[in-house]
Structures are given as structure tokens and as C-alpha cells.
């Protein structure tokens, strides 16, 4: 962090144009539209239009300013995540807090800009190791935010006919090709979070999925992060030694079997029928439930709803605090065939605050 | 003129098309909707298939009928659009998203300009409120 500035002060002092630029990396446009609508603001013409409106200086601009900064701050703990859950003894947390409260967070290149991300050469040169940037206590919950640099591979496919000059040079050496694929490695900054929630008896490892590396292996990275936490919180070491987090697979079928209601929409499902067929059903909108779709409903009722789902995507709306989340619990048809199928992590998308994460995970846990 | 029944709808179509191929196709489309309650996604190819089943010879018949049935007078079909990306993921567009996509190439999921967006947009039709009321006796959306 800049000298004498808290993360909130740093965020408040950043020009709004820069805030929106980093916000669009962490917040999907459909989520941003819903948040704008909650403030009675029109979505307008996408992110470029939002930046222009934020700079106008009128009342709407001030509302957009506040919303953008608050949404970005919330995305540090929320956004899109890969989450694993562990059982947590509340007494362990009670004993920890006196030590955690006096823990001095080391200075780092990330902390100089936290909660904003590094950019350019500063990011390219940043460490890929988990670097503690914040310890946050909210009620009885304690959350650790770690930053790290990850590298993602981006590709661009170019039709040869659209670049005749390049094609001419290329073909002289390599021959005639129809299409080019160009790759580049791009540095991104991840904000990974470990949350201790003693009242829920739960520890969450929530990895940042705002942009995902093609090499992303959620389970390995989650275990590595948890191990890193135990370096200064050895009381949590038994969780690492146990290796396995909460098995989430049973929730898939239970969510499917639950009663349909206005706040729940199953938008995607992978399943096998009693006759062994492998099926997939997906709705084109998160406001519709596949269970009510006529084709799926007829088939499901034909087999007395005795399908065996191995993957589900459910969109939940929350009332208090208001919010929402889209949760994906998915494993392969093959992995669902073992005697005790397992699923060690889930993906949460389109959350704007930690309360969305908590409510989504509470929902999932209720089906275990 | 307000239309309150299938008979009145048929009369409106007869006034528009007399006894031509357009009328046969229009009736075929109405019959299809009436026989398939809860239909909400009719691709253009389905309308072309209905034309072939009627042995219609003029290739522009479907185009003329669609223009009429999505217009003000015989509004039986609503025009809708969806985005299908390179992974075959489908996203239904609302009116505002469709307008922004067509006029400014704003991708509805990224909120950014996508020069190749038009290649991912596909139109389809769904029965209008009038069609649902007259053919299904339904007021629901």
C-alpha cells in the first residue's frame, strides 16, 4: 500500500477510469448490469459506455463511481472462484485469533498497490508464490487474502486471407497455410482467499478464477495454498494432513431433486439415464430451470426422475442480504461410476460480495 | 382490427394473401403452433421445412410470410435472437442486448466490442402473445 494509505483509501483515490478498467477483469458484464439495475441505472452500451458515463460529473456518474469502487472491493473476496471446503473446529480459531491479530503482514510488491492489481513490468516481475496482503476479521470470520502472479496463455486465430501481406512473407519460408494461430503469455494477478468461519465450522479455500490459466489445476493449487497458510498457522496443519476436503458429490443429486422455486434455477445438467444414456441439458438463460423445460421434464417423469446426475450448474438468488451466485458442481461421467464418487471443489461465478459466497456455500452444504 | 379467435386470424390472413402460397404456408405455421403448445424456439429452418412439406415452389415465400407474421397486422411470431459461441454455448438475448449487438457490436456477455459478433448471432421465432392467446388460449409469457 502507498505510505499511510489503507486499502480503502487507495481504492477511493484511484481515478474512476482505472477502477473500471480493473473491475471489468473481475466482474462479468451480466453481473454489472444487474448491479446497475439495482441502482435504477440503465446498462447502456457496455463497459466503454460505462466509463464515459462515470466521467460525466452528474448524479448518475457519482452513483456509478460508488458502485464500481464497492464492486471492485467486493470482488477481492468474491467474483469467480474455485472453492474447496474443510471442516473446522471453532475452538481452533478462538485460540488462533490472539496470535493472528498481532501478525505483521510483510511488505511486498503487491501490498504497495493492494487492493488494486499490479500492471505492466511490475506485474511481470512479481512473485508467483502466495503473498499475504490482508487479514480481515468480520464478526467471527477471519479471512486471509493472498496475491500472486500467474501466467495465462492467450491465443488468436487469424484467417490467412485477412492478412495477405503477412501470408506472403510466411508462405515464402513455410508454404501456404489457411490459418494462423498466435500465442502469447500474459501475466495476471490472482487474489486467493482462505476463510475461517468458526460459527459455520468451515474453512474455505477460494481460488481466484477471474482469468484462468490453461494449466490451472484447482485441487493442487488449493492444497498448496492451504499448506502455505499452515506455515504461520500450524494449528491448521491437520487439515492439510487429512488431504481430503469435504466431498461435494452428494449435493449434485440432492439439488436436482429439490423442489423448484423462484430463487433456484438449474441451468445445466449432465446425467445418465436408467438405460445408460449419457445426456446433457442446458438452458440458454439463467432465469429458466431445466427441470421445467418440457423435453427434459417429460423424459425425467417417464423414468420416475431416476436419473443419475454427475454435473449441475445452479443459479441462486438471495434475499438477505440480496445477491446471487451461479454454482457449478461437475465431475465426469466416468468419475461418477466409482463406488463412492467424489468431487472436491466447486466453481462459483457472478458473486459481488463475500455474503454471496457464504450464502452459496451454505446452500451447497445444506444438500450434503 | 382486434383479433380474438383463430377464425378472425384466418380471415386476416386471407385478406392479406388471397389464395396464394403465402396463405398455405401461413396456415401451416399456425397449425404447427397450435399443435405444439409450449413451443418457444422456432428456427428459420423449421419454417422452411413447413414450406417444403407444402410443396411450395417460390423460395421467397418463407421470407414474405415471415415479414408479415412478425409485422404489425398479422403479428403471430416474435423475432428473437441468441448468441452461440465457438463452444456451442447459447445465450438468449433480450431486446436491448440484441439492439446493442447489431448496432454497436457489443457482446452481451463481455460488455466489450466484438468485431466478429454478428457471426455468432442467430435469429429464431417464438409465438407472439396474440398467437398464444388465440391458439393456446393462454395469457402467460
Amino acid at each position: 500500500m502507498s505510505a499511510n494509505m489503507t486499502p480503502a483509501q487507495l481504492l477511493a483515490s484511484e481515478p474512476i477510469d482505472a477502477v473500471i478498467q480493473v473491475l471489468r477483469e473481475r466482474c462479468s458484464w451480466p453481473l454489472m448490469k444487474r448491479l446497475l439495475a439495482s441502482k435504477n441505472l440503465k446498462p447502456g452500451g457496455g463497459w466503454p459506455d460505462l466509463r464515459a458515463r462515470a466521467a460525466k460529473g452528474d448524479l448518475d456518474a457519482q452513483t456509478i463511481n460508488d458502485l464500481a469502487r464497492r464492486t471492485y472491493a467486493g470482488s477481492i473476496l468474491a467474483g469467480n472462484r474455485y472453492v474447496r471446503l474443510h471442516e473446522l473446529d471453532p475452538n481452533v480459531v478462538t485460540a488462533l485469533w490472539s496470535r493472528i491479530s498481532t501478525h505483521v503482514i510483510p511488505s511486498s510488491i503487491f501490498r504497495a498497490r493492494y487492493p488494486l492489481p499490479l500492471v505492466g513490468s511490475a506485474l511481470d516481475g512479481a512473485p508467483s508464490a502466495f503473498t499475504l496482503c490482508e487479514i480481515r476479521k468480520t464478526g467471527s470470520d477471519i479471512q486471509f487474502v493472498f496475491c500472486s502472479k500467474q501466467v495465462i496463455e492467450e491465443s488468436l486465430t487469424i484467417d490467412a486471407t485477412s492478412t495477405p501481406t503477412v501470408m506472403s512473407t510466411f508462405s515464402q519460408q513455410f508454404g501456404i497455410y489457411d490459418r494462423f494461430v498466435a500465442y502469447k503469455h500474459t501475466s495476471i494477478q490472482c487474489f486467493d482467499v482462505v476463510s475461517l468461519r468458526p460459527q459455520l465450522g468451515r474453512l474455505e479455500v477460494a481460488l481466484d478464477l477471474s482469468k484462468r490459466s490453461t494449466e490451472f489445476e484447482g485441487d493442487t493449487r488449493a492444497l498448496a495454498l492451504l499448506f502455505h497458510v499452515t506455515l504461520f498457522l500450524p494449528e491448521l496443519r491437520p487439515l492439510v494432513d487429512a488431504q481430503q476436503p469435504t466431498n461435494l458429490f452428494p449435493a449434485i443429486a440432492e439439488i436436482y431433486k429439490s423442489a423448484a422455486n423462484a430463487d433456484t434455477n438449474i441451468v445445466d445438467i449432465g446425467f445418465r439415464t436408467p438405460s445408460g444414456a449419457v445426456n446433457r441439458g442446458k438452458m440458454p438463460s439463467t432465469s429458466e430451470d431445466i427441470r421445467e423445460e418440457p423435453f427434459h421434464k417429460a423424459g425425467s417423469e417417464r423414468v420416475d426422475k431416476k436419473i443419475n446426475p454427475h454435473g449441475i450448474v445452479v443459479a441462486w438468488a438471495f434475499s438477505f442480504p440480496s445477491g446471487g451466485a451461479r454454482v457449478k458442481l461437475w465431475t465426469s461421467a466416468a468419475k461418477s461410476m466409482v463406488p463412492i464418487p467424489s468431487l472436491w471443489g466447486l466453481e462459483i461465478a457472478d458473486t459481488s460480495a463475500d455474503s454471496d459466497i457464504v450464502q452459496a456455500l451454505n446452500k451447497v452444504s445444506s444438500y450434503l | 382490427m382486434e383479433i380474438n379467435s383463430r377464425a378472425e386470424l384466418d380471415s386476416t390472413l386471407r385478406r392479406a394473401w388471397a389464395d396464394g402460397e403465402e396463405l398455405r404456408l401461413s396456415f401451416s405455421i399456425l397449425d404447427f403452433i397450435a399443435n405444439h403448445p409450449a413451443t418457444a424456439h422456432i428456427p428459420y429452418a423449421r419454417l422452411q421445412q413447413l414450406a417444403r412439406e407444402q410443396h411450395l415452389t417460390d423460395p421467397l415465400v418463407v421470407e414474405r410470410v415471415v415479414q408479415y407474421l412478425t409485422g404489425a397486422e398479422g403479428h403471430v411470431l416474435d423475432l428473437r435472437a441468441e448468441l452461440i459461441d465457438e463452444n456451442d454455448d447459447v445465450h438468449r438475448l433480450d431486446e436491448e442486448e440484441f439492439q446493442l449487438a447489431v448496432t454497436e457490436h457489443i457482446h452481451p456477455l463481455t460488455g466489450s466490442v466484438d468485431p466478429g459478433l454478428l457471426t455468432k448471432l442467430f435469429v429464431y421465432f417464438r409465438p407472439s402473445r396474440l398467437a398464444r392467446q388465440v391458439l393456446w388460449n393462454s395469457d402467460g409469457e
Side-chain angles (χ1 to χ4, degrees):
Chain A
M1 288 171 283
S2 297
N4 303 320
M5 289 180 81
T6 65
Q9 288 171 335
L10 188 66
L11 183 56
S13 66
E14 187 79 356
I16 187 58
D17 200 63
V19 172
I20 292 177
Q21 188 60 25
V22 296
L23 176 61
R24 64 192 292 179
E25 297 294 318
R26 303 192 59 75
C27 176
S28 73
W29 179 243
L31 174 59
M32 195 67 218
K33 284 202 302 184
R34 288 200 295 278
L35 295 173
L36 288 167
S38 72
K39 299 295 181 185
N40 297 318
L41 290 169
K42 291 187 185 301
W47 289 107
D49 182 62
L50 190 67
R51 288 169 70 180
R53 290 160 67 195
K56 273 189 175 176
D58 55 14
L59 197 59
D60 277 358
Q62 187 56 51
T63 306
I64 293 171
N65 263 261
D66 292 342
L67 179 64
R69 293 178 199 277
R70 192 165 50 251
T71 304
Y72 179 80
S75 75
I76 297 301
L77 298 178
N80 299 342
R81 302 263 162 195
Y82 178 74
V83 183
R84 295 188 358 150
L85 308 181
H86 297 262
E87 289 186 18
L88 179 68
D89 181 353
N91 296 323
V92 169
V93 180
T94 307
L96 281 177
W97 178 240
S98 59
R99 192 151 53 79
I100 295 172
S101 62
T102 59
H103 183 82
V104 176
I105 300 175
S107 61
S108 67
I109 187 173
F110 292 114
R111 286 207 84 207
R113 280 279 293 169
Y114 185 85
L116 296 164
L118 300 174
V119 293
S121 58
L123 180 57
D124 289 336
S128 59
F130 300 113
T131 306
L132 182 64
C133 286
E134 182 182 2
I135 300 175
R136 189 183 299 197
K137 193 172 191 302
T138 310
S140 62
D141 293 350
I142 305 170
Q143 293 173 292
F144 305 87
V145 182
F146 296 86
C147 291
S148 63
K149 179 200 78 177
Q150 299 296 310
V151 177
I152 62 171
E153 188 177 83
E154 295 178 312
S155 65
L156 178 67
T157 301
I158 309 162
D159 193 287
T161 58
S162 67
T163 55
T165 307
V166 175
M167 182 61 196
S168 173
T169 306
F170 183 88
S171 64
Q172 287 173 16
Q173 185 164 0
F174 299 105
I176 306 291
Y177 284 81
D178 301 315
R179 195 180 304 142
F180 297 108
V181 183
Y183 293 92
K184 68 174 179 178
H185 290 123
T186 303
S187 298
I188 60 169
Q189 180 168 335
C190 292
F191 296 80
D192 300 316
V193 181
V194 174
S195 302
L196 309 182
R197 307 198 197 267
Q199 288 195 352
L200 297 172
R202 192 165 78 206
L203 181 150
E204 302 159 8
V205 179
L207 301 179
D208 193 349
L209 283 183
S210 297
K211 276 191 175 183
R212 187 188 347 207
S213 164
T214 53
E215 309 297 319
F216 182 80
E217 292 183 7
D219 292 330
T220 303
R221 187 169 168 80
L223 192 60
L225 177 54
L226 190 56
F227 178 76
H228 184 83
V229 171
T230 65
L231 293 179
F232 61 93
L233 295 177
E235 295 87 344
L236 299 179
R237 186 58 189 266
L239 295 177
V240 175
D241 293 339
Q243 292 279 329
Q244 292 177 340
T246 303
N247 184 4
L248 304 171
F249 186 86
I252 297 174
E254 294 304 311
I255 291 171
Y256 179 78
K257 288 190 293 188
S258 66
N261 62 66
D263 296 332
T264 302
N265 285 309
I266 294 176
V267 298
D268 195 353
I269 183 165
F271 62 97
R272 299 197 69 175
T273 67
S275 50
V278 181
N279 282 19
R280 175 101 183 248
K282 197 169 182 182
M283 299 304 290
S285 166
T286 55
S287 59
E288 296 172 79
D289 195 315
I290 187 92
R291 294 172 295 182
E292 299 301 314
E293 194 272 326
F295 187 87
H296 179 89
K297 190 173 182 178
S300 177
E301 289 176 350
R302 177 71 174 84
V303 296
D304 198 27
K305 300 185 182 180
K306 293 285 192 290
I307 66 170
N308 300 302
H310 56 264
I312 203 165
V313 177
V314 53
W316 277 312
F318 308 127
S319 300
F320 185 76
S322 69
R326 185 160 42 89
V327 176
K328 179 178 181 180
L329 298 114
W330 206 282
T331 188
S332 65
K335 288 182 180 176
S336 71
M337 292 297 296
V338 300
I340 304 177
S342 60
L343 178 65
W344 304 123
L346 55 80
E347 293 183 18
I348 297 181
D350 289 346
T351 60
S352 63
D354 188 54
S355 58
D356 290 341
I357 300 280
V358 172
Q359 292 185 86
L361 295 178
N362 287 351
K363 284 268 195 187
V364 172
S365 298
S366 70
Y367 290 105
L368 295 174
Chain B
M1 184 188 105
E2 197 176 320
I3 299 172
N4 296 305
S5 68
R6 173 70 193 258
E8 289 175 3
L9 186 53
D10 288 354
S11 294
T12 301
L13 293 171
R14 283 199 181 87
R15 279 198 301 277
W17 300 120
D19 199 24
E21 291 184 335
E22 291 86 353
L23 185 66
R24 282 165 53 199
L25 179 57
S26 298
F27 284 164
S28 180
I29 293 172
L30 292 187
D31 291 340
F32 175 81
I33 296 172
N35 293 330
H36 297 87
T39 292
H41 185 272
I42 306 173
Y44 198 87
R46 171 70 70 186
L47 303 179
Q48 290 176 319
Q49 183 185 3
L50 291 173
R52 284 195 298 274
E53 289 171 2
Q54 293 292 317
H55 306 291
L56 298 179
T57 55
D58 184 348
L60 297 177
V61 166
V62 178
E63 201 173 305
R64 285 197 292 273
V65 167
V66 163
Q67 205 160 19
Y68 183 81
L69 294 182
T70 55
E73 194 173 283
H75 190 105
V76 169
L77 297 175
D78 288 337
L79 180 68
R80 288 283 186 270
E82 56 191 9
L83 181 147
I84 306 179
D85 66 19
E86 51 276 357
N87 298 318
D88 253 7
D89 286 327
V90 180
H91 172 77
R92 182 176 298 150
L93 275 66
D94 62 29
E95 183 69 36
E96 194 162 12
E97 288 174 333
F98 184 39
Q99 288 300 322
L100 284 170
V102 170
T103 59
E104 297 181 46
H105 298 186
I106 299 293
H107 193 296
L109 300 180
T110 67
S112 301
V113 174
D114 181 351
L117 184 60
L118 293 184
T119 63
K120 305 169 194 171
L121 292 184
F122 300 89
V123 297
Y124 65 96
F125 306 93
R126 84 166 208 162
S128 67
R129 178 187 285 270
L130 169 65
R132 294 195 300 275
Q133 287 173 338
V134 166
L135 301 175
W136 297 344
N137 199 29
S138 164
D139 289 325
E141 285 295 327

